Amino acid sequence: MKQTTVGGDSMEDVFLKPLGGGGGGRLFKLWMTGLILVAGWGLYCYIRQLYYGLGTTAMGNYVSWGLYISSFVFIVGISHSGTLVSAILRVTNADWRRPITRSAELLTVASLMFGGLMPVIDMGRADRAPFLIIFGRIQSPLLWDVICITTYLTGSSLFLFLPMIPDMALCRDRLGATSAPWRRWLYRTLSLGWQDTAANWARLERCMKIMTVIIMPIAVSVHTVIGYIFAMTLRPGWNSTIFGPYFVAGALYSGAAAVVITMAAFRKAYHLEKYITLVHFNNMGKIVLALTIIYAYFNINEYAVPAYKMESAEGYLLRDLFSGGYATVFWILQFGTVMLPAVVLSFTKGRTPVVGSIACLVIVLGAWVKRYVIVVPTLLHPYLPVQGVPYSWSHYFPNWVEFSITLGALAGIMIFLTLFSKLFPIGSVWEIREGEEIDRRNLLLNEMTAKEHAQTAVSAEAQP
Amino acid sequence: MPVFTVTALLLGILFSRTSLFADAMGTSPPALRLAAFKSSDLSRSAVATVSGKDEMGKRIFIPGCKVDFYLKGPGAPELLGALTTDMRGQARFPFNKKPAADVNGVTTLTARLEGDPKNAPVEASLAIKDASLELALSNQDTVNLITARVVEIRPDGRQVPVPGVNVAFNVKRLFGALPLSEESTVATGEDGRAEFAFPKGIKGDVNGDVTLVARVDDNETYGNLEKTAVARWGVPLVIEKNPFPRELWEPTAPVWMIVVFSLVFGTIWSIYSFVVFQLTRLEKTEKKVGIN
């Protein structure tokens, strides 16, 4: 297998080095310990919630959807990252995507796995989850959501796994002799007996083309259906015709920002500066900027149209958002987490690893809080006025139980990403190599074309 | 000084109205009411109801009160049992067999509520005789007649008709018993019988069956009696065919929705299956061909 050498270590060495199984450095151990503690505490809080019931949370009669559902929408929104980078950029022949496709797809799978748990956590009685299927009504947006997320998770898992097969064969062949027996078994099993044959490559390419095409509408359907969960109700603030595309735009924008953070993190952790370059940050920064502008447009529409009319219950909700209890959060979201990052990313210096990552982190955090602002204020402004109830019923803020469980889920995502990067190459080695081969051929072709042109010019000059 | 005195007086009046200080002054003792019931299946029970008044003077029922039930005989009262009042403030004591009566056929029951230790226990007594309510259904000149007969059952077993007992005629509905008309309470005559004509146009079930309920409510001598009977005197209920059997709001989904979902997701999962099948076909028998 031909190896590409850049600055000493071959490309395969660079991407296989983290898989050494040495247990990782001090920072890695610190990172994992912290994540395991947070995830473990979240798990304990969830078991406690199962035992004592949803009364241990701050949710109640009016606010029956709180931090859990907001986080569900946010985390599943992040999952759009893989579709964007892997599928959309693949279809548009953006070759620069090659080093970052796997981390983007990985983020998709991890987000869907843990994001899909949030509604089950919100249910309280998790044992009743199967009833959604057994006694399901196909007319319900909740069932559409379950079906779509399951379908998307399966498709994304396939889409993640397919390009991993040749790299699993690489791990099997390169690391087999030095790895622990369980690793050898893992790589041998996951490589599916892969050999570098034309038939295998043809089969793989065919499968990847099929999945590339099919994953895009599935991703759009997932976020559209999540928007429908809200839009198909009659509640003020949710009863909107643009929630479907609004949520898709929001998912793309937060997902793209999450890709930037992920690639910056892996680049730093595994010294991939030669493969994840400033070009990647520049290009992804432009994509995030474009998506931010589209999202801002949907945002303006979402509020401007009902604000023009200020009709009854919508009016009360909008007053609360624009100038009431949620005003501070609302305007910080609009200006601080949408406009400001867009301004930063408009400049070339804003699309660098550090500055771009910070801007994208602000976007991601803003997206999380924005989902909360979509879900909770509407529940506190029902058509029948809230009156004659205890104070806690008419005000909601997540308590320590909800924060612990949600942060536990987020820690779970990061544990999954970290462990994956320690088991499998975080970059698609064969795709990067293929890209380099294509670049080399193009360079050669250009050189040959230039030579021919030069020779033709000399011949023309030499003739009398 | 006069201003201070008046202010203190007004404050005293104000605070005396609040529950905080009212509790310190002591609550009014709860009220206890005892009633006896004999149902259509001849089962007997005594029901004690505990009520009181809240700060606003509104009557409320008090749950969680322990009520002792006694049977008063020639000697000391016999403790039958104790029950705690439910959310409706009621404690229902069932009798497995007919409670003992004296030579005159009178059964004396007492309910006792200890309540607040500062106040004396509250008692309610009831002295009732055994009676029976019977129903007979007949048809005379296209008029459906319900005849209720109230008889007193003497200690020697004789059944003596009881005149002057008000019998209410009702029909059983989903949430209770509905009076058959505004004047559906009839007093028994000398023969212990009360007659009532069943009105036309009362809706029954799909077969036209109605459950007739005759009641004697809160009679001083005989307590509460009830008797039911089923008659096919009602107008049969016609369940209209649902004009929209398959809609978004109905239990069964529209056909087009089921078809579209099945087609779309069936196609997607078939494609997944095809991809997985392709992966199972990866083999290592062909000549090696590198990228170069």
Side-chain angles (χ1 to χ4, degrees):
Chain A
M1 192 179 286
K2 185 179 176 184
Q3 295 180 357
T4 311
T5 305
V6 179
D9 279 341
S10 69
M11 181 182 52
E12 288 80 5
D13 289 336
V14 170
F15 282 101
L16 296 182
K17 196 175 172 187
L19 281 58
R26 194 159 165 261
L27 201 61
F28 170 78
K29 284 177 180 150
L30 213 64
W31 168 250
M32 283 303 290
T33 306
L35 288 178
I36 289 168
L37 283 173
V38 173
W41 175 249
L43 182 64
Y44 162 74
C45 290
Y46 177 60
I47 294 169
R48 185 177 176 277
Q49 181 189 283
L50 271 180
Y51 186 79
Y52 289 111
L54 281 178
T56 54
T57 68
M59 292 185 286
N61 243 9
Y62 288 101
V63 185
S64 49
W65 284 354
L67 184 64
Y68 295 150
I69 294 298
S70 319
S71 301
F72 157 68
V73 178
F74 162 70
I75 296 173
V76 175
I78 296 290
S79 73
H80 221 43
S81 57
T83 314
L84 169 69
V85 175
S86 275
I88 298 175
L89 294 183
R90 190 187 297 270
V91 158
T92 53
N93 289 322
D95 276 340
W96 58 269
R97 78 180 189 279
R98 293 169 188 271
I100 61 174
T101 53
R102 185 160 298 158
S103 54
E105 264 303 328
L106 176 64
L107 186 60
T108 294
V109 172
S111 304
L112 285 171
M113 278 168 51
F114 287 89
L117 287 179
M118 299 309 293
V120 178
I121 292 169
D122 187 65
M123 279 176 75
R125 285 288 302 272
D127 56 307
R128 290 180 180 171
F131 290 1
L132 198 57
I133 307 296
I134 299 167
F135 303 110
R137 295 181 72 227
I138 201 70
Q139 304 99 306
S140 166
L142 295 177
L143 188 57
W144 303 344
D145 198 38
V146 170
I147 295 171
C148 285
I149 287 182
T150 309
T151 305
Y152 189 32
L153 176 59
T154 309
S156 295
S157 303
L158 268 176
F159 202 41
L160 171 67
F161 177 65
L162 283 171
M164 276 176 65
I165 298 171
D167 286 348
M168 291 297 96
L170 176 70
C171 292
R172 176 196 65 196
D173 297 337
R174 283 281 298 270
L175 301 176
T178 53
S179 298
W182 65 270
R183 274 183 185 260
R184 282 203 297 271
W185 174 85
L186 185 69
Y187 299 138
R188 198 170 54 242
T189 309
L190 291 178
S191 63
L192 301 180
W194 174 269
Q195 290 293 342
D196 211 5
T197 64
N200 278 354
W201 282 109
R203 220 180 279 281
L204 184 68
E205 286 291 330
R206 191 183 321 135
C207 291
M208 285 180 61
K209 273 186 189 154
I210 293 169
M211 289 306 301
T212 301
V213 167
I214 202 173
I215 204 74
M216 286 187 282
I218 295 171
V220 170
S221 75
V222 165
H223 300 103
T224 305
V225 161
I226 289 178
Y228 283 176
I229 288 171
F230 302 96
M232 295 300 188
T233 68
L234 293 165
R235 287 183 175 267
W238 289 356
N239 187 12
S240 166
T241 55
I242 70 165
F243 254 49
Y246 177 39
F247 272 55
V248 172
L252 278 168
Y253 134 91
S254 58
V259 167
V260 172
I261 298 169
T262 310
M263 73 185 193
F266 283 128
R267 179 181 189 256
K268 182 76 180 165
Y270 299 133
H271 308 292
L272 302 175
E273 289 82 357
K274 290 186 171 57
Y275 300 97
I276 302 177
T277 65
L278 295 180
V279 169
H280 295 92
F281 285 93
N282 188 37
N283 290 341
M284 279 304 299
K286 287 177 186 169
I287 289 173
V288 173
L289 173 63
L291 292 169
T292 305
I293 292 167
I294 293 170
Y295 176 71
Y297 170 68
F298 274 106
N299 224 10
I300 292 168
N301 270 273
E302 174 58 24
Y303 293 105
V305 171
Y308 185 84
K309 297 169 283 193
M310 292 302 261
E311 177 201 17
S312 61
E314 290 263 11
Y316 292 125
L317 172 67
L318 289 172
R319 268 190 211 102
D320 210 13
L321 288 175
F322 293 162
S323 56
Y326 287 95
T328 310
V329 173
F330 181 81
W331 293 114
I332 287 176
L333 284 174
Q334 303 307 328
F335 289 102
T337 69
V338 178
M339 260 189 69
L340 184 60
V343 168
V344 168
L345 292 170
S346 307
F347 299 96
T348 311
K349 285 190 178 170
R351 298 190 295 271
T352 53
V354 175
V355 179
S357 299
I358 294 170
C360 289
L361 186 64
V362 170
I363 287 174
V364 167
L365 290 173
W368 189 20
V369 179
K370 182 61 171 42
R371 300 301 178 270
Y372 180 93
V373 169
I374 288 173
V375 171
V376 173
T378 289
L379 291 169
L380 288 171
H381 290 83
Y383 278 114
L384 284 177
V386 179
Q387 53 188 359
V389 299
Y391 177 84
S392 60
W393 287 27
S394 57
H395 294 78
Y396 168 79
F397 191 77
N399 67 3
W400 64 273
V401 173
E402 293 167 271
F403 273 117
S404 301
I405 294 174
T406 306
L407 289 173
L410 291 171
I413 292 174
M414 286 186 256
I415 289 173
F416 186 83
L417 294 178
T418 308
L419 288 179
F420 185 98
S421 68
K422 283 293 184 182
L423 283 173
F424 309 111
I426 200 58
S428 184
V429 176
W430 69 271
E431 281 190 278
I432 298 170
R433 194 186 317 126
E434 187 184 60
E436 286 173 347
E437 285 292 331
I438 291 170
D439 288 344
R440 205 170 293 132
R441 278 186 205 164
N442 287 339
L443 198 66
L444 204 62
L445 215 62
N446 289 340
E447 281 176 5
M448 283 172 61
T449 311
K451 267 187 192 164
E452 275 176 18
H453 282 151
Q455 278 175 357
T456 310
V458 164
S459 304
E461 279 178 12
Q463 278 177 7
Chain B
M1 278 301 285
V3 170
F4 176 77
T5 309
V6 168
T7 308
L9 202 64
L10 284 172
L11 282 172
I13 293 168
L14 177 68
F15 286 140
S16 73
R17 293 289 181 195
T18 65
S19 59
L20 186 65
F21 287 83
D23 282 344
M25 289 166 63
T27 54
S28 55
L32 179 64
R33 189 171 164 271
L34 186 62
F37 287 85
K38 186 175 179 183
S39 302
S40 187
D41 57 0
L42 304 182
S43 61
R44 293 177 173 82
S45 57
V47 177
T49 306
V50 179
S51 62
K53 286 189 179 174
D54 63 9
E55 297 102 18
M56 311 291 284
K58 187 180 154 192
R59 180 160 289 279
I60 54 171
F61 296 107
I62 307 172
C65 297
K66 184 167 169 271
V67 177
D68 296 325
F69 291 86
Y70 294 89
L71 181 67
K72 200 171 174 188
E78 177 195 344
L79 176 65
L80 296 173
L83 286 173
T84 308
T85 54
D86 59 18
M87 290 304 293
R88 292 172 298 172
Q90 286 183 345
R92 181 177 286 268
F93 189 88
F95 292 102
N96 293 330
K97 56 181 182 179
K98 182 182 162 187
D102 62 14
V103 293
N104 297 319
V106 176
T107 302
T108 307
L109 294 167
T110 303
R112 184 188 170 95
L113 173 70
E114 291 293 333
D116 191 346
K118 291 180 196 168
N119 300 323
V122 181
E123 277 191 9
S125 279
L126 193 65
I128 54 167
K129 291 184 179 179
D130 192 16
S132 173
L133 176 62
E134 296 154 6
L135 272 186
L137 308 177
S138 60
N139 182 282
Q140 288 180 11
D141 298 328
T142 72
V143 175
N144 295 317
L145 281 175
I146 315 167
T147 307
R149 184 166 172 256
V150 179
V151 295
E152 180 183 320
I153 303 170
R154 295 279 167 89
D156 55 6
R158 281 186 302 134
Q159 293 187 352
V160 178
V162 182
V165 174
N166 287 327
V167 180
F169 292 91
N170 309 284
V171 64
K172 190 177 173 188
R173 283 306 188 223
L174 191 62
F175 296 112
L178 182 71
L180 282 169
S181 74
E182 284 180 3
E183 297 167 354
S184 58
T185 301
V186 181
T188 55
E190 286 300 320
D191 58 354
R193 285 189 165 86
E195 226 171 53
F196 187 79
F198 185 82
K200 292 192 193 306
I202 301 276
K203 281 207 167 83
D205 61 12
V206 289
N207 298 319
D209 290 334
V210 288
T211 302
L212 304 166
V213 181
R215 278 187 182 153
V216 172
D217 291 320
D218 288 331
N219 186 277
E220 284 179 0
T221 310
Y222 304 109
N224 295 274
L225 304 170
E226 184 180 283
K227 188 71 180 175
T228 60
V230 177
R232 193 157 286 188
W233 288 349
V235 175
L237 181 69
V238 175
I239 299 173
E240 289 178 3
K241 196 177 166 191
N242 188 347
F244 306 108
R246 282 180 171 271
E247 288 295 339
L248 288 179
W249 58 85
E250 294 288 339
T252 37
V255 173
W256 64 263
M257 185 173 259
I258 296 172
V259 168
V260 167
F261 261 80
S262 304
L263 273 175
V264 169
F265 288 97
T267 305
I268 292 170
W269 283 87
S270 300
I271 291 171
Y272 288 170
S273 305
F274 172 76
V275 168
V276 170
F277 174 70
Q278 289 294 305
L279 293 182
T280 62
R281 301 289 301 273
L282 289 174
E283 282 298 340
K284 46 188 177 288
T285 54
E286 294 192 28
K287 187 178 167 187
K288 254 190 169 186
V289 174
I291 291 176
N292 285 333

